[in-house]
Amino acid sequence: MAEIDPTDHALATIASILEHPEHVLVVRETETERVVAGEREHLAPDEQPAVDEHPVVEEQPLVPEHTDADGYSKIGPGPMVAIRLKWTVHRGDDGQYYVHETIGEQSAPVVSGPMTSEAAVHFVDAQEHEAHRRFEELRSEIAGRSSLADYERKGEA
């Protein structure tokens, strides 16, 4: 049990990508070829742009910014969907925002609110960050105990 489960690495990688989205550079056209998302396509002589044109580069995030808090959602860490936490912001009939926290797919939500849209998004982000911190702490503790147990089993203690 001293080895780390590869699934944990995959989940951590996915979480870090979602937390810190990278930007994609999109180049529309150059003098002799078109480059879009890293793929090149050579242009025919009649399709080539004028020489005085400069390539246009746009910076676009991989994950679009969330413009409205309604529907904003984060999922906590964990190896099993049945015990994974999920926080989702919903707008109430009164115009206020409420955060629904569920465990797994079939649980009844625990509702927090009312709050403003900014407060609801901040609440979801804080809850998700705390869940990741506690998960990593627990995983480290389990890994430490299994290493100690291996050490004791080998008679080295």
Side-chain angles (χ1 to χ4, degrees):
M1 276 283 188
E3 294 183 28
I4 297 176
D5 183 10
T7 307
D8 292 338
H9 287 293
L11 291 173
T13 301
I14 293 168
S16 69
I17 290 169
L18 293 176
E19 288 175 4
H20 307 289
E22 296 178 15
H23 289 63
V24 175
L25 294 179
V26 178
V27 179
R28 291 203 175 149
E29 291 184 8
T30 64
E31 291 180 18
T32 58
E33 61 186 13
R34 182 177 297 145
V35 181
V36 178
E39 301 215 5
R40 295 171 187 225
E41 173 185 316
H42 290 284
L43 300 175
D46 60 332
E47 292 179 329
Q48 290 188 10
V51 177
D52 62 325
E53 289 183 21
H54 297 285
V56 177
V57 178
E58 294 179 15
E59 195 171 305
Q60 301 172 348
L62 289 175
V63 180
E65 294 294 322
H66 208 327
T67 56
D68 187 22
D70 190 26
Y72 184 76
S73 181
K74 293 270 181 125
I75 298 174
M80 297 171 39
V81 174
I83 61 171
R84 199 168 293 145
L85 294 165
K86 181 178 182 180
W87 301 272
T88 307
V89 177
H90 294 284
R91 187 178 193 154
D93 294 337
D94 59 356
Q96 295 290 326
Y97 292 86
Y98 298 86
V99 176
H100 292 214
E101 180 178 16
T102 56
I103 300 174
E105 297 175 343
Q106 303 298 324
S107 69
V110 174
V111 180
S112 300
M115 56 187 90
T116 65
S117 64
E118 294 85 17
V121 169
H122 178 71
F123 180 81
V124 168
D125 290 341
Q127 293 294 97
E128 188 246 357
H129 177 73
E130 178 64 15
H132 277 282
R133 186 195 65 75
R134 291 175 65 193
F135 179 75
E136 290 301 321
E137 186 178 287
L138 179 61
R139 193 167 78 175
S140 296
E141 183 179 325
I142 290 170
R145 286 185 182 174
S146 66
S147 297
L148 182 60
D150 287 344
Y151 185 75
E152 289 175 351
R153 260 185 268 153
K154 292 178 183 177
E156 297 171 1

